[in-house]
CSV table of all heavy atoms in Angstrom, one decimal:
chain,number,residue,atom,x,y,z
B,99,PHE,N,-3.5,-40.0,7.7
B,99,PHE,CA,-2.1,-39.7,7.6
B,99,PHE,C,-1.8,-38.2,7.3
B,99,PHE,O,-1.0,-37.6,7.9
B,99,PHE,CB,-1.5,-40.6,6.5
B,99,PHE,CG,0.0,-40.4,6.4
B,99,PHE,CD1,0.9,-41.0,7.3
B,99,PHE,CD2,0.6,-39.6,5.4
B,99,PHE,CE1,2.3,-40.8,7.2
B,99,PHE,CE2,1.9,-39.4,5.3
B,99,PHE,CZ,2.8,-40.0,6.2
B,100,ARG,N,-2.6,-37.7,6.3
B,100,ARG,CA,-2.4,-36.3,5.9
B,100,ARG,C,-2.7,-35.3,7.1
B,100,ARG,O,-2.0,-34.3,7.2
B,100,ARG,CB,-3.4,-36.0,4.8
B,100,ARG,CG,-2.8,-36.3,3.4
B,100,ARG,CD,-3.5,-35.5,2.3
B,100,ARG,NE,-4.9,-35.8,2.2
B,100,ARG,CZ,-5.4,-36.8,1.5
B,100,ARG,NH1,-4.6,-37.6,0.8
B,100,ARG,NH2,-6.7,-37.0,1.4
B,101,HIS,N,-3.7,-35.6,7.9
B,101,HIS,CA,-4.1,-34.7,8.9
B,101,HIS,C,-3.6,-35.1,10.3
B,101,HIS,O,-4.2,-34.5,11.3
B,101,HIS,CB,-5.6,-34.5,8.9
B,101,HIS,CG,-6.1,-34.0,7.5
B,101,HIS,ND1,-5.7,-32.8,7.0
B,101,HIS,CD2,-6.9,-34.6,6.6
B,101,HIS,CE1,-6.2,-32.7,5.8
B,101,HIS,NE2,-6.9,-33.7,5.5
B,102,LEU,N,-2.8,-36.0,10.4
B,102,LEU,CA,-2.4,-36.5,11.8
B,102,LEU,C,-1.8,-35.4,12.7
B,102,LEU,O,-1.9,-35.4,13.9
B,102,LEU,CB,-1.4,-37.7,11.7
B,102,LEU,CG,-1.3,-38.6,12.9
B,102,LEU,CD1,-2.6,-39.1,13.3
B,102,LEU,CD2,-0.3,-39.7,12.7
B,103,ALA,N,-1.2,-34.4,12.0
B,103,ALA,CA,-0.6,-33.4,12.8
B,103,ALA,C,-1.6,-32.5,13.5
B,103,ALA,O,-1.4,-31.9,14.5
B,103,ALA,CB,0.3,-32.4,11.9
B,104,ARG,N,-2.9,-32.6,13.0
B,104,ARG,CA,-3.9,-31.8,13.6
B,104,ARG,C,-4.6,-32.5,14.8
B,104,ARG,O,-5.4,-31.9,15.5
B,104,ARG,CB,-5.0,-31.5,12.6
B,104,ARG,CG,-4.5,-30.6,11.5
B,104,ARG,CD,-5.7,-30.2,10.6
B,104,ARG,NE,-5.3,-29.7,9.4
B,104,ARG,CZ,-6.1,-29.6,8.3
B,104,ARG,NH1,-7.4,-29.9,8.4
B,104,ARG,NH2,-5.6,-29.1,7.2
B,105,TYR,N,-4.3,-33.8,14.9
B,105,TYR,CA,-5.0,-34.6,16.0
B,105,TYR,C,-4.5,-34.1,17.4
B,105,TYR,O,-3.3,-34.0,17.6
B,105,TYR,CB,-4.7,-36.1,15.8
B,105,TYR,CG,-5.1,-36.9,17.0
B,105,TYR,CD1,-6.4,-36.9,17.5
B,105,TYR,CD2,-4.1,-37.6,17.7
B,105,TYR,CE1,-6.7,-37.6,18.7
B,105,TYR,CE2,-4.4,-38.3,18.9
B,105,TYR,CZ,-5.7,-38.3,19.3
B,105,TYR,OH,-6.0,-39.0,20.5
B,106,ASP,N,-5.5,-33.8,18.2
B,106,ASP,CA,-5.2,-33.4,19.6
B,106,ASP,C,-5.1,-34.6,20.5
B,106,ASP,O,-6.1,-35.3,20.7
B,106,ASP,CB,-6.3,-32.4,20.1
B,106,ASP,CG,-6.0,-31.8,21.4
B,106,ASP,OD1,-5.0,-32.3,22.1
B,106,ASP,OD2,-6.8,-31.0,21.9
B,107,GLU,N,-3.9,-34.9,21.1
B,107,GLU,CA,-3.8,-36.1,21.9
B,107,GLU,C,-4.6,-36.1,23.1
B,107,GLU,O,-4.8,-37.2,23.7
B,107,GLU,CB,-2.3,-36.2,22.3
B,107,GLU,CG,-1.4,-36.6,21.1
B,107,GLU,CD,0.0,-36.8,21.5
B,107,GLU,OE1,0.3,-36.8,22.8
B,107,GLU,OE2,0.9,-36.9,20.7
B,108,ARG,N,-5.1,-35.0,23.5
B,108,ARG,CA,-5.9,-35.0,24.7
B,108,ARG,C,-7.3,-35.5,24.5
B,108,ARG,O,-8.1,-35.8,25.4
B,108,ARG,CB,-6.1,-33.6,25.3
B,108,ARG,CG,-4.7,-33.0,25.9
B,108,ARG,CD,-4.8,-31.6,26.1
B,108,ARG,NE,-5.1,-30.9,24.9
B,108,ARG,CZ,-5.2,-29.5,24.7
B,108,ARG,NH1,-5.1,-28.8,25.8
B,108,ARG,NH2,-5.3,-29.0,23.6
B,109,ARG,N,-7.7,-35.7,23.2
B,109,ARG,CA,-9.0,-36.1,22.8
B,109,ARG,C,-9.0,-37.6,22.4
B,109,ARG,O,-7.9,-38.1,22.0
B,109,ARG,CB,-9.6,-35.2,21.8
B,109,ARG,CG,-9.5,-33.8,22.1
B,109,ARG,CD,-10.2,-32.9,21.2
B,109,ARG,NE,-11.7,-32.9,21.5
B,109,ARG,CZ,-12.5,-32.0,21.0
B,109,ARG,NH1,-12.1,-31.1,20.2
B,109,ARG,NH2,-13.8,-32.1,21.4
B,110,ASP,N,-10.1,-38.2,22.3
B,110,ASP,CA,-10.2,-39.6,22.0
B,110,ASP,C,-9.9,-39.8,20.5
B,110,ASP,O,-10.5,-39.2,19.6
B,110,ASP,CB,-11.6,-40.1,22.2
B,110,ASP,CG,-11.8,-41.6,21.9
B,110,ASP,OD1,-10.8,-42.3,21.9
B,110,ASP,OD2,-12.9,-42.0,21.6
B,111,PHE,N,-8.9,-40.7,20.3
B,111,PHE,CA,-8.4,-40.9,18.9
B,111,PHE,C,-9.5,-41.5,18.0
B,111,PHE,O,-9.7,-41.1,16.9
B,111,PHE,CB,-7.2,-41.8,18.9
B,111,PHE,CG,-6.7,-42.1,17.5
B,111,PHE,CD1,-6.1,-41.2,16.7
B,111,PHE,CD2,-6.9,-43.4,16.9
B,111,PHE,CE1,-5.6,-41.5,15.4
B,111,PHE,CE2,-6.5,-43.7,15.7
B,111,PHE,CZ,-5.9,-42.7,14.9
B,112,PHE,N,-10.3,-42.4,18.6
B,112,PHE,CA,-11.3,-43.0,17.8
B,112,PHE,C,-12.5,-42.1,17.4
B,112,PHE,O,-13.1,-42.2,16.4
B,112,PHE,CB,-11.9,-44.3,18.5
B,112,PHE,CG,-11.0,-45.5,18.4
B,112,PHE,CD1,-10.0,-45.8,19.3
B,112,PHE,CD2,-11.0,-46.2,17.2
B,112,PHE,CE1,-9.2,-46.9,19.2
B,112,PHE,CE2,-10.1,-47.3,17.0
B,112,PHE,CZ,-9.2,-47.6,18.0
B,113,ALA,N,-12.8,-41.1,18.3
B,113,ALA,CA,-13.8,-40.1,17.9
B,113,ALA,C,-13.3,-39.3,16.7
B,113,ALA,O,-14.1,-39.0,15.8
B,113,ALA,CB,-14.1,-39.2,19.1
B,114,TRP,N,-12.0,-39.0,16.7
B,114,TRP,CA,-11.4,-38.2,15.6
B,114,TRP,C,-11.4,-39.1,14.4
B,114,TRP,O,-11.7,-38.6,13.3
B,114,TRP,CB,-10.0,-37.8,16.0
B,114,TRP,CG,-9.3,-36.9,15.0
B,114,TRP,CD1,-9.5,-35.6,14.8
B,114,TRP,CD2,-8.2,-37.3,14.2
B,114,TRP,NE1,-8.7,-35.2,13.8
B,114,TRP,CE2,-7.9,-36.2,13.4
B,114,TRP,CE3,-7.6,-38.5,14.0
B,114,TRP,CZ2,-6.8,-36.3,12.5
B,114,TRP,CZ3,-6.5,-38.6,13.0
B,114,TRP,CH2,-6.2,-37.4,12.3
B,115,LEU,N,-11.0,-40.3,14.6
B,115,LEU,CA,-10.9,-41.3,13.4
B,115,LEU,C,-12.3,-41.5,12.8
B,115,LEU,O,-12.5,-41.5,11.6
B,115,LEU,CB,-10.3,-42.6,13.9
B,115,LEU,CG,-10.2,-43.8,12.9
B,115,LEU,CD1,-9.2,-43.4,11.8
B,115,LEU,CD2,-9.7,-45.0,13.6
B,116,PHE,N,-13.3,-41.7,13.7
B,116,PHE,CA,-14.7,-41.9,13.2
B,116,PHE,C,-15.2,-40.7,12.5
B,116,PHE,O,-16.0,-40.9,11.5
B,116,PHE,CB,-15.6,-42.3,14.4
B,116,PHE,CG,-15.5,-43.7,14.8
B,116,PHE,CD1,-14.5,-44.6,14.3
B,116,PHE,CD2,-16.5,-44.3,15.6
B,116,PHE,CE1,-14.5,-45.9,14.7
B,116,PHE,CE2,-16.4,-45.6,16.0
B,116,PHE,CZ,-15.4,-46.4,15.5
B,117,ARG,N,-14.8,-39.6,12.9
B,117,ARG,CA,-15.3,-38.4,12.2
B,117,ARG,C,-14.8,-38.4,10.8
B,117,ARG,O,-15.6,-38.1,9.8
B,117,ARG,CB,-14.8,-37.1,12.9
B,117,ARG,CG,-15.4,-35.9,12.3
B,117,ARG,CD,-15.1,-34.7,13.2
B,117,ARG,NE,-16.0,-33.6,12.7
B,117,ARG,CZ,-16.2,-32.5,13.4
B,117,ARG,NH1,-15.7,-32.3,14.6
B,117,ARG,NH2,-17.0,-31.5,12.9
B,118,ILE,N,-13.6,-38.7,10.6
B,118,ILE,CA,-13.0,-38.8,9.2
B,118,ILE,C,-13.7,-39.9,8.5
B,118,ILE,O,-14.1,-39.7,7.3
B,118,ILE,CB,-11.5,-39.0,9.3
B,118,ILE,CG1,-10.8,-37.8,9.9
B,118,ILE,CG2,-10.9,-39.3,7.9
B,118,ILE,CD1,-9.3,-37.9,10.1
Side-chain angles (χ1 to χ4, degrees):
Chain B
F99 182 79
R100 272 201 298 273
H101 302 297
L102 197 58
R104 294 186 200 166
Y105 165 61
D106 182 355
E107 285 181 11
R108 291 167 298 181
R109 311 189 78 167
D110 181 23
F111 177 72
F112 279 97
W114 184 76
L115 178 65
F116 276 13
R117 184 168 193 166
I118 293 175

